[in-house]
């Protein structure tokens, strides 16, 4: 095994400060990329998708649960599988407490092609309580390019899609797939993919921090049991 060399504390500090300069460059570049993502145009969803969940059939608008934004994780779970994808399961395991997303008007849900009757026992096995819907009743997975035909066979790939609600209009704002999911899972990393972002005053483009009519900054970061859902 090749390991870094052992040095004095002073040498380590000097090397760490040199690396910190590069890390700050990446942080600023990420902020700029997130701002550019928030400036992406949107596409109105005029197709009626039907899902199945714990309360029966639901539309894409229903998945918002009344909030302004929706983040959908495209969980790989084909109809013929007995269990969900291991990598997708690891991804859901690292999702933070949903109260922090919901406090910023954002709903998180998983969607798979497997029937809900197959999803439900696997969800119970994993101990997850997050919303999870079956898209087996339509072509949602096909339209959002997570179920693809390759060499005459249907294959699954993981992905994540973001939506914005304007009254009863649903707008598709962003999607990413496979390696684009690297590093995601925390509340801030998911909000960074949305049109409204973290809703902080320092974010560009300006004017979206107050979109939900709530105070920005540390006043909005509470213990998860203090939020009013």
């Amino acid at each position: 095994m090749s390991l870094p060399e052992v040095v004095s504390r002073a040498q380590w500090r000097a090397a760490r400060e040199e690396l910190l300069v590069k890390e700050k460059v990446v942080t600023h570049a990420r902020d700029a990329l997130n701002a550019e993502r928030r400036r992406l145009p949107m596409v109105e969803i005029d197709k009626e998708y039907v899902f199945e969940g714990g309360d029966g059939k639901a539309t894409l608008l229903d998945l918002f649960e009344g909030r302004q934004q929706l983040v959908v994780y495209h969980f790989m779970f084909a109809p013929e599988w007995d269990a969900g994808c291991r990598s997708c399961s690891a991804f859901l395991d690292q999702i933070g407490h949903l109260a922090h997303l919901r406090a910023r008007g954002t709903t998180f849900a998983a969607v798979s092609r497997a029937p809900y009757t197959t999803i439900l026992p696997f969800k119970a096995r994993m101990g997850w309580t997050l919303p999870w819907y079956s898209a087996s009743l339509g072509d949602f997975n096909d339209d959002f390019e997570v179920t693809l035909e390759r060499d005459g066979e249907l294959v699954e790939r993981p992905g994540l899609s973001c939506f914005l609600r304007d009254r009863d209009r649903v707008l598709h704002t962003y999607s990413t797939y496979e390696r684009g999911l690297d590093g995601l899972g925390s509340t801030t990393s998911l909000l960074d993919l949305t049109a409204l972002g973290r809703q902080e005053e320092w974010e560009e483009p300006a004017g979206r921090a107050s979109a939900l009519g709530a105070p920005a900054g540390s006043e909005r970061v509470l213990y998860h049991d203090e939020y009013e859902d």
Side-chain angles (χ1 to χ4, degrees):
M1 183 183 296
S2 176
L3 295 174
E5 64 177 321
V6 178
V7 298
S8 69
R9 175 60 62 180
Q11 289 173 308
W12 179 89
R13 174 60 64 185
R16 177 69 191 93
E17 290 178 354
E18 183 179 344
L19 180 62
L20 181 60
V21 173
K22 298 177 181 179
E23 289 177 335
K24 287 183 178 294
V25 170
V26 172
T27 297
H28 295 316
R30 184 175 64 242
D31 288 344
L33 181 62
N34 290 337
E36 187 174 350
R37 182 186 293 114
R38 288 189 290 272
R39 292 187 177 96
L40 280 174
M42 303 182 291
V43 178
E44 183 169 1
I45 304 298
D46 53 11
K47 193 171 186 177
E48 283 293 331
Y49 294 107
V50 179
F51 305 88
E52 187 175 2
D55 295 326
K57 292 183 179 180
T59 66
L60 185 57
L61 185 62
D62 292 330
L63 269 58
F64 282 77
E65 297 180 344
R67 300 184 182 91
Q68 192 167 359
Q69 296 193 124
L70 170 67
V71 176
V72 168
Y73 180 64
H74 301 284
F75 191 110
M76 294 170 59
F77 200 161
E80 64 273 16
W81 297 359
D82 296 326
C85 164
R86 287 184 170 85
S87 295
C88 290
S89 298
F91 183 90
L92 286 195
D93 279 338
Q94 67 189 6
I95 295 295
H97 203 289
L98 296 182
H100 300 289
L101 278 173
R102 291 169 177 169
R104 285 159 179 78
T106 304
T107 297
F108 180 91
V111 172
S112 302
R113 272 201 311 135
Y116 189 69
T117 52
T118 304
I119 291 173
L120 195 58
F122 182 71
K123 178 183 176 181
R125 171 189 166 186
M126 294 292 100
W128 297 325
T129 58
L130 54 83
W132 195 350
Y133 299 88
S134 170
S136 63
L137 301 176
D139 45 13
F140 180 78
N141 270 36
D142 303 83
D143 290 349
F144 285 87
E145 302 176 24
V146 288
T147 299
L148 307 171
E149 184 174 343
R150 292 176 182 168
D151 299 325
E153 296 184 358
L154 291 179
V155 297
E156 307 282 324
R157 68 169 175 167
L160 188 147
S161 294
C162 300
F163 302 89
L164 182 71
R165 182 172 67 88
D166 179 17
R167 296 182 180 86
D168 291 337
R169 298 171 69 203
V170 176
L171 304 161
H172 176 217
T173 62
Y174 182 72
S175 285
T176 189
Y177 309 95
E178 299 173 321
R179 286 296 305 278
L181 301 169
D182 287 359
L184 299 180
S186 67
T187 297
T188 51
S189 69
L190 294 175
L191 288 173
D192 282 343
L193 303 181
T194 67
L196 298 182
R198 303 183 192 186
Q199 299 149 42
E200 301 289 354
E201 294 292 346
W202 55 266
E203 288 182 303
E204 294 291 339
R208 299 189 187 178
S210 59
L212 300 178
S218 60
E219 296 176 9
R220 302 188 61 198
V221 180
L222 306 176
Y223 296 112
H224 68 249
D225 61 354
E226 294 179 333
Y227 291 113
E228 294 182 7
D229 194 0

